[in-house]
Amino acid sequence: MTATPPTPELDVLARLMNPDTLQDPYPFYTWLREHAPVHRNPTGGVYLVSSNEAARTAYQSPDLRSIETEELPAKHPRWHRSRALRLLTQVITSTNAPEHTRLRRAVSRHFTLRQAQRLQTAAKRHCDRLLTPLATRLKDGETADLHHDLTQPLGMNMAGDIIGIPEPDREPLTALILQVLASIHPTSDDDTLEAGNTASEQVEDYFTQLAAERRDRPTEDLISALLTDVTDGDEKPEQGLNHTEFMVMLWGLWAGSFETTVASMDFGVLALLDHPDQATWLDAGPAETKAFVAETLRHSPPVLVDAVPRIARKDIHLGGITIPEGADVRTLHGAANRDPRAFPDPDRFDPARNTSRMVTFGHGIHHCLGANLARMECAVALSRIRRTLPGLTLPARPLLRTAMSLRTFENFPVTL
């Protein structure tokens, strides 16, 4: 790649959407990080952070805040027309203290390491139920799609178990959510946007009805647990959630709880197949499996660029440049995770390395609530795939696509 410093006209976001770059963005990330670790993108004037130090600083800086509601129409030109965008921009990641603190406190106790360990039995059950017919087909000489036949339904069912969505409703609800996510992609047309609005209304109606049922007949799920702290009306309580916050929380959790985890599982399988010498870590025990998963999450994070804006409260210095007050700052996870100043020989897949500086799940108060659950699901899936499907191989490279700001899979063909 020509080592020419980026110009103000370089549209990094457009470059990342290019199919060739999408398949392997890391040479471009390296070039960008070396020449402009903080780059002002001409599209939207967003400042894109590619160095690890600057990314971690941005996540924990008190001089960066979430966007305020009145600023949203200027940042999202179609905000007024998209019900889904209006909901997603109210989720916990889009709030500031003290609201952020109150909302996070209301749900954080349901996303602990202990909770992830409790759900491990369910993850193993779902994984084995999906793997059995898949293994039969592969042993009969068929080519299967691991994404559609295993990782996507596994992620969907785990999200359904956690939130409390009955099994018969999960597939149709997933179809609606995928329609909604397609509608808020920057390239979506008016028909797709309108279809997404209709799907969003259906999702809201569904959760309203399900919440009413759980009030009458609570079960051991997140909906029932959150309902104990939900107040009537929209007045903001000192603790817990009001009705609108509760609905937004459910909507956001379902929309965001499995897409990134599914992509992480897919990237984990790709690591298993691309690095057979390292795949033996999955045979050694829980600690080694955990290390393999952590390196997968560092080496191939599913998020291309943070979807949530972080706005400068004042002029700030970051990555050697001055970012003006009011500017939008986003992190490029894949670039920050392969910064050689944080990870020696960063392109090498090495489960023995220290991954504590990766930003796959954010950092500080913006660390992802579902990180423990995502790690657990990946560990269960990869260890069981390794044990059940020895000799697994790729007849063709999986096809990648973008879903909002994610780098995820269109398909994942496998054979024995």
Side-chain angles (χ1 to χ4, degrees), residues 84-384:
L85 266 178
R86 295 199 299 274
L87 285 169
L88 284 173
T89 50
Q90 295 179 65
V91 296
I92 186 171
T93 52
S94 300
T95 57
N96 295 297
E99 291 301 295
H100 179 273
T101 306
R102 176 176 62 84
L103 293 173
R104 191 176 178 94
R105 186 183 297 123
V107 296
S108 60
R109 59 194 171 97
H110 304 292
F111 289 90
T112 61
L113 181 58
R114 178 178 293 182
Q115 175 77 341
Q117 292 168 339
R118 186 181 71 80
L119 288 163
Q120 191 174 52
T121 300
K124 292 176 179 178
R125 183 181 71 249
H126 286 305
C127 193
D128 291 344
R129 177 171 57 82
L130 293 162
L131 265 174
T132 299
L134 179 63
T136 300
R137 290 170 51 204
L138 289 170
K139 289 171 183 176
D140 287 342
E142 293 185 33
T143 297
D145 187 334
L146 198 76
H147 176 77
H148 289 284
D149 296 338
L150 178 62
T151 58
Q152 189 175 70
L154 175 58
M156 175 191 71
N157 280 301
M158 285 305 299
D161 283 357
I162 294 163
I163 297 171
I165 298 166
E167 286 200 26
D169 299 341
R170 293 174 185 177
E171 283 196 27
L173 194 61
T174 297
L176 289 173
I177 285 295
L178 292 176
Q179 198 170 10
V180 169
L181 294 180
S183 76
I184 61 178
H185 193 281
T187 61
S188 64
D189 56 27
D190 287 345
D191 288 343
T192 305
L193 181 68
E194 199 53 46
N197 283 337
T198 301
S200 182
E201 290 174 3
Q202 291 176 282
V203 173
E204 290 179 75
D205 290 343
Y206 174 82
F207 278 130
T208 298
Q209 180 180 342
L210 188 59
E213 293 174 4
R214 289 292 187 273
R215 281 193 184 276
D216 294 336
R217 294 182 298 278
T219 58
E220 292 186 6
D221 56 42
L222 187 60
I223 292 178
S224 301
L226 289 177
L227 277 170
T228 61
D229 294 325
V230 174
T231 61
D232 294 330
D234 287 338
E235 184 176 343
K236 296 186 184 298
E238 290 185 9
Q239 296 183 347
L241 309 168
N242 64 33
H243 176 75
T244 298
E245 290 167 342
F246 170 70
M247 294 306 299
V248 168
M249 189 74 73
L250 288 185
W251 203 103
L253 286 171
W254 179 250
S257 61
F258 64 86
E259 188 83 357
T260 50
T261 303
V262 169
S264 295
M265 287 189 279
D266 288 336
F267 278 118
V269 178
L270 201 58
L272 186 159
L273 300 177
D274 284 346
H275 307 283
D277 292 344
Q278 305 293 355
T280 55
W281 281 70
L282 295 169
D283 305 328
E288 290 79 7
T289 298
K290 181 180 178 181
F292 187 96
V293 168
E295 177 64 349
T296 295
L297 292 165
R298 180 204 69 86
H299 191 263
S300 301
V303 174
L304 275 170
V305 57
D306 271 338
V308 179
R310 300 282 293 147
I311 309 300
R313 298 180 186 272
K314 61 180 183 179
D315 290 359
I316 60 172
H317 298 287
L318 189 67
I321 71 168
T322 299
I323 296 176
E325 179 181 355
D328 183 346
V329 180
R330 315 279 185 106
T331 296
L332 301 173
H333 287 194
N337 278 0
R338 294 210 195 180
D339 187 336
R341 287 170 288 276
F343 304 101
D345 195 6
D347 294 328
R348 179 167 55 91
F349 186 87
D350 180 13
R353 77 166 74 244
N354 181 347
T355 59
S356 62
R357 291 189 63 84
M358 71 174 176
V359 295
T360 302
F361 294 112
H363 180 54
I365 66 168
H366 295 286
H367 189 265
C368 175
L369 283 169
N372 288 324
L373 290 168
R375 290 190 183 98
M376 180 273 290
E377 289 179 47
C378 288
V380 167
L382 295 179
S383 60
R384 275 166 150 65

